Amino acid sequence: TADFMPTGWSIEGMTKEFGDDCVAYRNTVKERAGDTSLTGKDHSADLGSIWVDDSVGAIYKALNRTNQLEDTVILFQLDHGTAEKSMLWEGGIRIPQFIHYPNGNLPDTYDGLVSTIDIGPSMLDIAGILNDPIDPDSLYEMDGKSWWDAVDSGAWNDRCLFFEIFDDRALRCGCDKYMLLSSDSRELKNAVWYGWSGFEADQTEALFDLCDGTGLYIDANPSRSSPEAVNIAAEQPDKIFTYSALMKCHLNKTGAREATTVAPLYDECRLDELKSEYDALISGCCQWTTERYLWVFPNLFYLCALWAYTL
């Protein structure tokens, strides 16, 4: 490696402080991560974090120096790590996300449910190109939707998000999280191995309350057990019924289809719309179903509801 590597760029916060010497700057990254010859520990996992931190800082300084910072959207999010990678536990699907846009007058925090699939529509919406009033069909439809107006109005608190990995599926609605488990589910094997409450080897569904009773999400804390360690599906048959039908709706909309004959469905399955479907179904195919029969045959209503999504 050459002793001096000119970059041709003077990057404040990175190479500028070292005479634009890339090698000299890079050595500081290794030094800040820790010298293994001195500590006897491997700090290589910190190298990427330090480099990213420097890079974001350099962009921030450049935008500020050129008076563009206040009108620039910076969206920063982290990975979920490796402990629960490729699993549907909260550690595998929930990540931090930060947004900086001073001229957007965004609130400090937003408690609605958002997903990474919302980033594209949101950025296009902020740029003013999400909707074309002259030719609305000219733009490419996306799975996600823009949170630009929602964060300001406080909407989306009743939104449901759907997740999948391999043959397992999950949905999150408010404080509730429902999981549809396959026979070879890694999550199920994980839960049974740990001896978590409410899990059996042949379990097919699970339900968790992710809040603390006041509507606040329970953050990960090593000092207490995870709310996902307690499966409350047996205690909440009504919710299992509702979320099962909601998941069926989602699977039918997102399942494999012949692209040349059936247009893809981008609209989300919603609880309020599902209830409307149920009401219409009851007044149609299941008119004769009384509350007495619903009590005697609880699965009848479930089958009628699912029938609407299999036509």
Side-chain angles (χ1 to χ4, degrees):
T1 304
D3 294 332
F4 176 75
M5 185 183 296
T7 62
W9 295 87
S10 184
I11 305 175
E12 182 181 2
M14 297 182 77
T15 60
K16 182 178 180 179
E17 289 78 359
F18 302 94
D20 300 335
D21 184 351
C22 185
V23 172
Y25 160 71
R26 188 170 60 187
N27 287 336
T28 70
V29 176
K30 293 188 288 186
E31 291 170 1
R32 283 177 284 163
D35 190 338
T36 56
S37 64
L38 297 176
T39 64
K41 297 180 180 180
D42 182 9
H43 296 273
S44 58
D46 296 328
L47 291 172
S49 299
I50 293 173
W51 208 315
V52 169
D53 189 59
D54 286 353
S55 301
V56 173
I59 294 173
Y60 189 93
K61 290 179 179 180
L63 291 169
N64 190 45
R65 187 175 61 252
T66 56
N67 297 318
Q68 300 179 80
L69 182 61
E70 299 298 297
D71 198 33
T72 298
V73 180
I74 300 176
L75 189 147
F76 198 89
Q77 65 182 32
L78 302 180
D79 194 5
H80 47 63
T82 59
E84 295 176 346
K85 191 176 182 69
S86 298
M87 301 184 79
L88 291 176
W89 302 125
E90 288 293 277
I93 61 177
R94 186 179 174 91
I95 59 174
Q97 185 179 89
F98 308 92
I99 298 164
H100 174 278
Y101 184 30
N103 284 355
N105 297 316
L106 299 174
D108 293 335
T109 59
Y110 175 56
D111 296 327
L113 295 180
V114 298
S115 173
T116 52
I117 62 175
D118 299 327
I119 294 177
S122 299
M123 296 301 105
L124 291 174
D125 194 11
I126 293 173
I129 57 176
L130 181 61
N131 295 307
D132 185 344
I134 299 177
D135 185 8
D137 296 327
S138 65
L139 298 178
Y140 180 75
E141 286 194 86
M142 294 179 155
D143 290 328
K145 58 184 182 179
S146 172
W147 40 249
W148 179 236
D149 292 326
V151 295
D152 188 48
S153 63
W156 288 16
N157 290 323
D158 59 347
R159 184 189 189 190
C160 296
L161 295 179
F162 298 84
F163 312 89
E164 64 179 56
I165 183 70
F166 303 118
D167 292 326
D168 295 324
R169 305 289 184 266
L171 66 83
R172 167 85 188 275
C173 297
C175 292
D176 292 336
K177 181 174 181 179
Y178 167 83
M179 294 177 68
L180 182 62
L181 305 169
S182 66
S183 59
D184 195 37
S185 169
R186 294 177 58 194
E187 286 79 3
L188 179 58
K189 293 177 181 178
N190 186 248
V192 172
W193 188 86
Y194 279 111
W196 287 351
S197 175
F199 284 96
E200 302 293 340
D202 58 350
Q203 199 88 29
T204 59
E205 294 176 299
L207 180 67
F208 314 102
D209 182 354
L210 301 181
C211 296
D212 61 0
T214 66
L216 295 178
Y217 180 82
I218 300 177
D219 295 319
N221 189 329
S223 66
R224 61 171 177 251
S225 62
S226 166
E228 292 180 299
V230 181
N231 179 11
I232 60 173
E235 305 167 18
Q236 302 282 346
D238 291 343
K239 286 188 175 181
I240 289 295
F241 158 75
T242 299
Y243 295 140
S244 294
L246 192 63
M247 179 62 76
K248 179 68 174 178
C249 167
H250 174 72
L251 293 177
N252 279 339
K253 283 189 175 184
T254 60
R257 60 186 69 242
E258 180 56 55
T260 58
T261 59
V262 182
L265 301 173
Y266 292 97
D267 54 316
E268 298 177 343
C269 292
R270 296 171 53 87
L271 283 173
D272 54 351
E273 294 175 352
L274 193 66
K275 185 179 183 304
S276 297
E277 292 281 352
Y278 290 168
D279 293 341
L281 207 60
I282 288 298
S283 64
C285 78
C286 302
Q287 273 187 349
W288 48 271
T289 305
T290 65
E291 288 190 10
R292 173 180 174 83
Y293 283 127
L294 286 177
W295 179 75
V296 176
F297 303 109
N299 285 332
L300 179 62
F301 182 55
Y302 175 72
L303 291 174
C304 285
L306 293 190
W307 174 80
Y309 295 104
T310 56
L311 292 180

